[in-house]
Amino acid sequence: MPALPVLIPLLFMAVAIVAALSIGALFFLKQSGERRANRLYGTLLLLSGFTQLHFALDFGGWLETDPWLRYLPIYFSLWLPVLLFSHVKISLYPAYRFRLTDIKHLTLPIGQTLYFLLIWLVPAFRHEAGRYFYNPFYGGLEQALFLMGWPLYVLFSVLYLRRKRALLNRRSLPRLLWYLRKLLKGVLLFILAYAILSIADVLALKYLFTDLGSRAWYVGTQALSFTVLLFWLCVYGGQVLVWGRALRLAVRTP
């Protein structure tokens, strides 16, 4: 059984996983709003929950004791910012239809999924250490793409949000735009915290010859930073489900 300093973060991770998978599934049943936007956000929560499970297995030490767990096809880091952006875009512009030019956003996420399916089904393609630096799907390069992808796609989302607000020409924000703005602000804040922790580890190792990854407080903080982000995504999802149901009931009330 993991020690108490490891067990407490694992409990938070477990709650985040259950919340993400549960709320994500409910978005596929949501009747109000744009159905494609609902399914995109549901997929975002589901894939975030599975990615959190991978982080939990890593944090709990199970990837070391049972190396085969590293190759479970449950790691979707490169999908998450793209799904967030797609949800915002379709929510703001329901008439939008995906085009061939949108494939560029899906190249790396699809590649990551195919990579994990390949190493899961064909053990000969697995790398001994699991991760390696130049791997764009599971390694140092992937982490760099993950950290750059979030602020980039949040910026794209903000630009669409501002354009929609300008088209509406209203002083007060409609409820949908208000929720989306809060969602993006929270996501950017938590991603900045995650990025600062990751960069601090690299700088400490290079200039101070200190491996923060070996410090329990640092490992716990970094692991929980993604957990807090996942909780924020779940809070937004829960709020949308509640006020969406409230609006539907209000419409039915004579």
Side-chain angles (χ1 to χ4, degrees):
M1 185 174 180
L4 189 61
V6 176
L7 184 59
I8 293 176
L10 281 176
L11 289 176
F12 280 104
M13 292 179 189
V15 173
I17 292 168
V18 172
L21 297 181
S22 302
I23 297 174
L26 289 175
F27 264 87
F28 285 88
L29 304 175
K30 189 174 183 292
Q31 299 300 316
S32 61
E34 218 289 329
R35 286 193 175 185
R36 290 182 302 155
N38 293 339
R39 290 168 183 168
L40 284 166
Y41 199 78
T43 304
L44 170 62
L45 286 178
L46 291 176
L47 298 193
S48 296
F50 287 126
T51 303
Q52 176 71 95
L53 176 58
H54 178 91
F55 287 147
L57 292 173
D58 189 10
F59 180 72
W62 288 289
L63 298 189
E64 294 296 328
T65 57
D66 298 286
W68 64 273
L69 292 174
R70 296 175 183 170
Y71 311 108
L72 283 174
I74 58 172
Y75 190 69
F76 303 100
S77 61
L78 300 181
W79 277 99
L80 308 183
V82 177
L83 286 169
L84 175 70
F85 167 66
S86 300
H87 166 72
V88 172
K89 187 175 182 178
I90 297 300
S91 297
L92 295 173
Y93 299 95
Y96 183 83
R97 293 293 178 266
F98 286 104
R99 306 166 185 171
L100 286 177
T101 54
D102 293 319
I103 293 178
K104 62 180 179 291
H105 299 292
L106 301 175
T107 303
L108 286 172
I110 291 175
Q112 185 179 49
T113 301
L114 293 177
Y115 170 78
F116 270 93
L117 287 174
L118 181 64
I119 63 174
W120 171 251
L121 297 173
V122 187
F125 287 99
R126 297 175 182 176
H127 192 272
E128 293 181 0
R131 290 179 179 269
Y132 57 95
F133 183 80
Y134 294 105
N135 189 337
F137 306 125
Y138 190 52
L141 183 56
E142 170 260 325
Q143 282 291 288
L145 292 170
F146 176 76
L147 292 175
M148 291 188 296
W150 278 105
L152 183 64
Y153 279 103
V154 167
L155 175 61
F156 292 160
S157 301
V158 169
L159 293 177
Y160 274 100
L161 187 66
R162 288 182 175 178
R163 191 171 81 174
K164 183 69 173 183
R165 185 177 183 181
L167 290 173
L168 293 174
N169 196 23
R170 290 174 54 178
R171 298 188 65 181
S172 60
L173 285 177
R175 179 176 290 189
L176 173 63
L177 271 65
W178 187 87
Y179 271 99
L180 288 175
R181 188 176 68 172
K182 293 296 182 184
L183 169 66
L184 295 173
K185 283 185 176 181
V187 166
L188 187 58
L189 178 64
F190 295 128
I191 286 300
L192 285 175
Y194 187 89
I196 289 171
L197 287 169
S198 299
I199 294 171
D201 186 25
V202 175
L203 295 179
L205 186 62
K206 183 174 183 179
Y207 296 107
L208 302 178
F209 305 102
T210 301
D211 182 12
L212 294 180
S214 63
R215 308 293 177 88
W217 65 267
Y218 174 83
V219 174
T221 302
Q222 188 179 44
L224 286 176
S225 60
F226 183 80
T227 305
V228 174
L229 170 62
L230 185 52
F231 273 125
W232 177 248
L233 295 176
C234 290
V235 167
Y236 167 83
Q239 288 178 327
V240 169
L241 289 174
V242 169
W243 68 255
R245 176 178 172 80
L247 287 177
R248 192 166 67 252
L249 292 174
V251 170
R252 291 178 180 177
T253 303

